[in-house]
Amino acid sequence: MREISSVTPTPRAGIARKLYQRELRDSSVFRDLTRRAVLYLSALLLLGGAISLAVNDERHLLPWAYLFACTVALFLTSRVPASSSKLFIALQIFMGAMVLQISLQVMHGNIEQRVWVIPFYLIWMMLIPTKIVVMIGITVAAGTAYIAGLQTVILANYTLAFAAVIVVHFVKLQLFDQMKMAAMDPLTGAHNRVFLPIQMKERYAESKRSGRPSSMVLIDIDDFKQINDRYGHLVGDEILIFIVDKIQRRIRATDRLFRIGGDEFVLIFGGISEEVAMTLTRDIQSRLNAERPVRLPHFSISCGVCSAGQASSPDDWLGLADRLAYDAKESGGNTALMATEGVEATN
């Protein structure tokens, strides 16, 4: 028997990192922590700004108006709950207003506030790519210095900002790598159950909100226990690795494959109707049959295919796909059943 390779298929690096970043943003813990960090930080800086203006005996109305406007914006942003789909839009608009307010204060002569924008850029780095944040930060800093007529560059401030960017960037990469390890099935390289509820909720909500279709395929290997009993678990493991590799090569990088049990997988297609998902499922079944290595015994898969629009909740969506896969298996296997009119396709 050929030794099983220790190298398992993984999502393409750049796209995978973006997907884990999106899943991180969907985490209720991350959403709550980000919201609180922005609100508490902003409240502290607004208080510090007011004290600074008072100490400097600022008599111009505009700096106080900027401060008051951001205080109102802080109150409005605090009304957006962590569970809101608009949370990150609201936070980013508010952080932009805070950076603008601080920049305007610097232009009015409050030079000591130049470094106050750094924490906002560090938070932005967790939400959008680091390169974009750095380019925006350099542009805003240079523009503010030019308009304010600042002739000197405080090297310590820029060194501090650069060091902070490096630290946060590598912390972010480490966080994504840890998430990938926690979410990946070590044998096959498919995702495990960790992010399946998040993905289901996201696709289901998107389908209900915008009408954009999303489809789910529940895949069950026929008679997998008998294969393990007859040929051994190492052969069973090779079959699992082969199935995941072929599916990953057939689907898009934005589609998600999860291993949810010993011989069960869930495949989620975003922006694809049930009919198209059925066509893709049949193609996957055909490829598995046609490209099976001679060293592996014959096997087949049974599949249940349904769209998010046919379910009353994300859990019901998964339950419907599971029932269809069960019916496909009970009807003889090597079959795909579609929810609409019980359409059947057999390879």
Side-chain angles (χ1 to χ4, degrees), residues 4 8 13-14 25 31 83 105 124 127 155 173 182 186 198 201 232 288 300 324 345:
I4 299 174
T8 56
R25 291 179 54 170
R31 294 170 69 89
S83 58
Q105 296 286 5
W124 259 316
L127 303 177
L155 184 60
L173 295 184
I198 294 175
K201 290 177 182 178
L288 292 176
S300 61
L324 289 166

Side-chain angles (χ1 to χ4, degrees), residues 120-122 124-126 128-138 165:
F120 293 109
Y121 289 117
L122 299 182
W124 259 316
M125 286 176 58
M126 299 302 295
I128 58 180
T130 301
K131 290 181 181 179
I132 296 177
V133 176
V134 170
M135 288 188 293
I136 292 175
I138 292 175
V165 165

Side-chain angles (χ1 to χ4, degrees), residues 79-343:
R79 309 299 295 175
V80 181
S83 58
S84 172
S85 61
K86 306 296 183 183
L87 174 68
F88 289 115
I89 295 177
L91 290 180
Q92 296 203 51
I93 291 175
F94 174 65
M95 288 193 294
M98 283 294 297
V99 169
L100 176 61
Q101 183 267 145
I102 293 171
S103 299
L104 291 173
Q105 296 286 5
V106 172
M107 294 176 195
H108 276 276
N110 298 296
I111 310 301
E112 72 279 359
Q113 294 189 24
R114 275 190 292 182
V115 296
W116 290 18
V117 298
I118 293 177
F120 293 109
Y121 289 117
L122 299 182
I123 294 174
W124 259 316
M125 286 176 58
M126 299 302 295
L127 303 177
I128 58 180
T130 301
K131 290 181 181 179
I132 296 177
V133 176
V134 170
M135 288 188 293
I136 292 175
I138 292 175
T139 302
V140 172
T144 301
Y146 177 78
I147 296 173
L150 302 177
Q151 303 299 322
T152 59
V153 174
I154 303 177
L155 184 60
N157 288 346
Y158 289 96
T159 302
L160 172 64
F162 185 66
V165 165
I166 291 176
V167 170
V168 173
H169 177 70
F170 282 104
V171 167
K172 178 172 71 172
L173 295 184
Q174 181 68 21
L175 178 60
F176 292 159
D177 288 341
Q178 291 297 322
M179 289 179 64
K180 184 166 69 173
M181 291 176 61
M184 182 177 291
D185 173 43
L187 174 66
T188 64
H191 294 285
N192 58 29
R193 300 184 70 114
V194 172
F195 288 120
L196 177 59
I198 294 175
Q199 183 72 4
M200 287 195 306
K201 290 177 182 178
E202 178 184 335
R203 295 300 186 190
Y204 182 83
E206 180 185 39
S207 177
K208 293 298 183 181
R209 182 176 62 251
S210 65
R212 185 171 182 263
S214 288
S215 295
M216 178 185 295
V217 182
L218 195 141
I219 301 168
D220 195 339
I221 304 175
D222 298 323
D223 301 318
F224 190 64
K225 184 179 184 302
Q226 285 80 352
I227 292 175
N228 277 331
D229 291 343
R230 181 174 180 180
Y231 298 98
H233 288 278
L234 291 180
V235 171
D237 288 348
E238 279 208 85
I239 290 175
L240 293 172
I241 293 171
F242 172 73
I243 289 174
V244 169
D245 180 57
K246 290 304 173 185
I247 293 176
Q248 295 280 29
R249 292 177 185 274
R250 178 62 183 88
I251 63 179
R252 304 167 301 177
T254 52
D255 298 326
R256 313 308 299 276
L257 177 64
F258 300 85
R259 185 184 180 193
I260 62 171
D263 60 346
E264 289 185 321
F265 298 87
V266 167
L267 181 55
I268 296 182
F269 294 107
I272 287 182
S273 67
E274 181 189 42
E275 292 75 16
V276 175
M278 172 62 94
T279 300
L280 291 170
T281 300
R282 296 182 66 181
D283 185 59
I284 289 170
Q285 287 179 307
S286 298
R287 287 173 182 241
L288 292 176
N289 288 331
E291 301 176 19
R292 175 178 57 86
V294 294
R295 70 179 182 276
L296 295 182
H298 174 76
F299 67 90
S300 61
I301 60 174
S302 295
C303 307
V305 184
C306 58
S307 67
Q310 295 164 317
S312 59
S313 68
D315 289 338
D316 183 52
W317 188 19
L318 178 61
L320 176 58
D322 185 46
R323 290 193 298 274
L324 289 166
Y326 177 82
D327 291 342
K329 202 177 185 75
E330 288 295 299
S331 67
N334 196 26
T335 300
L337 289 180
M338 188 167 64
T340 304
E341 299 177 356
V343 177

